[in-house]
């Protein structure tokens, strides 16, 4: 049977979190680097489609191809380990510590960022013929995204920062649901379908994803976007990371764990 019942796939979530905590530094960085790079390629693919069709919905429909590729290949996103590794700690798996969880998060952040930055530089070369001409239409679009989603929030002050945080929460609610989707089926087609739906939703709603932004904003800066590195971190990456952490863990990880592993006592009718 290709579908796993919730108690089975939630156990797989805890097992996956445990394995990631004990993974070597080398493997953690390689898998995170490749995940960041592949997701960045999917992001520029979606932006290019949006520019070509003048319809963002087509970019949203096709963006999940990158997410599906990287999870089928066993690579790791920060948004995924935010949800999986704490479950192994909460479940009191032998040898799992809070410092181990934090170490995993730090390594995956570094790997994701380096992978996304590599693609940002490579695609910038493509968009400008090796920086010899002005950016093409896709490059200009990336520069505009960077400005709109930093300075566009900054002008609202704390309300703008809080808005990014909430959009980050909503994003990883859906993205982590996609991570779980990779575990609820034993067939490739089943995994892809289960992953595709929530990822399409998050991208179509333009929620804030920390790893996608690791590509969008460095790329936007290279393409001449009128914002700074400080703007990127203060008015996007930091609140997005915090929102991704809390949203994914609260709405996906803890809810599934609490009701399918740590279930409440059965009702009695006596």
């Amino acid at each position: 049977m290709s579908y796993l019942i919730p108690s089975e796939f939630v156990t797989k979530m805890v097992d996956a979190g445990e394995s990631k905590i004990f993974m070597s530094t080398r493997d953690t960085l390689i898998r995170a680097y490749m995940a960041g790079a592949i997701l960045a390629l999917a992001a520029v693919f979606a932006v290019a489609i949006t520019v070509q069709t003048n319809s963002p919905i087509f970019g949203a429909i096709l963006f999940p191809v990158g997410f599906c590729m990287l999870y089928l290949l066993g690579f790791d996103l920060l948004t995924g380990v935010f949800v999986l590794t704490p479950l192994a700690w909460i479940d009191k798996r032998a040898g799992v510590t809070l410092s181990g969880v934090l170490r995993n998060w730090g390594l995956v952040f570094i790997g994701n960022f380096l992978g996304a930055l590599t693609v940002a530089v490579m695609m910038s070369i493509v968009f400008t013929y090796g920086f010899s001409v002005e950016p093409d239409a896709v490059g200009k679009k990336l520069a505009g995204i960077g400005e709109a989603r930093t300075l566009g929030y900054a002008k609202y002050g704390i309300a703008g920062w809080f808005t990014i945080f909430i959009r980050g929460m909503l994003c990883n609610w859906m993205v982590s649901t996609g991570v779980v989707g990779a575990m609820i089926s034993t067939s490739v087609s089943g995994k892809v379908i289960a992953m595709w739906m929530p990822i399409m939703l998050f991208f179509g709603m333009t929620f804030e994803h920390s790893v996608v932004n690791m590509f969008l904003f460095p790329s936007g800066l290279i393409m001449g976007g009128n914002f700074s590195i400080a703007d990127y971190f203060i008015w996007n990456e930091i609140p997005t990371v915090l929102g991704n952490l809390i949203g994914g863990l609260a709405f996906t990880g803890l809810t599934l764990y609490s009701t399918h592993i740590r279930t409440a006592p059965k009702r009695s009718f006596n």
Side-chain angles (χ1 to χ4, degrees), residues 2-253:
S2 63
Y3 172 72
L4 301 181
I5 63 173
S7 61
E8 292 175 323
F9 69 70
V10 178
T11 298
K12 288 184 65 176
M13 291 170 62
V14 181
D15 292 342
E18 180 183 11
S19 69
K20 294 179 191 306
I21 290 171
F22 292 119
M23 192 182 300
S24 70
T25 298
R26 188 203 70 160
D27 289 341
T28 302
L29 286 173
I30 290 173
R31 296 181 192 193
Y33 179 91
M34 292 306 301
I38 291 173
L39 200 69
L41 284 171
V44 72
F45 173 57
V47 172
I49 290 171
T50 298
V51 170
Q52 292 164 6
T53 64
N54 200 31
S55 180
I57 188 61
F58 291 112
I61 290 171
L62 294 173
F63 170 77
V65 66
F67 184 88
C68 293
M69 287 167 56
L70 73 90
Y71 268 103
L72 289 174
L73 291 171
F75 299 143
D76 289 322
L77 292 173
L78 184 64
T79 43
V81 298
F82 272 164
V83 175
L84 299 177
T85 54
L87 296 184
W89 180 60
I90 293 167
D91 201 52
K92 296 181 171 60
R93 293 293 178 92
V96 174
T97 62
L98 182 58
S99 62
V101 173
L102 296 176
R103 169 188 169 277
N104 175 263
W105 291 355
L107 291 173
V108 173
F109 181 96
I110 292 169
N112 284 170
F113 192 89
L114 292 175
L117 184 61
T118 299
V119 172
V121 172
M122 294 174 73
M123 292 307 304
S124 296
I125 293 171
V126 171
F127 294 146
T128 62
Y129 286 88
F131 303 106
S132 62
V133 299
E134 288 294 309
D136 65 6
V138 178
K140 291 177 181 177
K141 179 70 173 180
L142 289 169
I145 290 172
E147 290 181 31
R149 288 165 64 176
T150 51
L151 303 182
Y153 288 122
K155 68 180 180 180
Y156 295 104
I158 191 64
W161 199 94
F162 185 63
T163 299
I164 310 171
F165 174 78
I166 294 297
R167 294 178 82 157
M169 288 183 65
L170 291 167
C171 171
N172 208 24
W173 183 3
M174 290 296 97
V175 172
S176 58
T177 300
V179 173
V180 175
M183 301 180 183
I184 69 174
S185 174
T186 57
S187 70
V188 173
S189 59
K191 290 175 181 288
V192 168
I193 292 169
M195 287 189 282
W196 204 283
M197 295 182 290
I199 302 306
M200 180 175 62
L201 191 157
F202 115 72
F203 201 87
M205 293 295 293
T206 64
F207 294 150
E208 298 287 350
H209 189 284
S210 54
V211 183
V212 172
N213 292 352
M214 291 174 187
F215 163 76
L216 290 176
F217 293 89
S219 183
L221 284 168
I222 296 171
M223 291 294 95
N226 187 29
F227 62 102
S228 67
I229 295 174
D231 290 330
Y232 159 51
F233 278 101
I234 295 171
W235 293 104
N236 194 285
E237 192 65 34
I238 292 173
T240 295
V241 167
L242 294 175
N244 286 172
L245 168 61
I246 294 173
L249 192 56
F251 293 132
T252 305

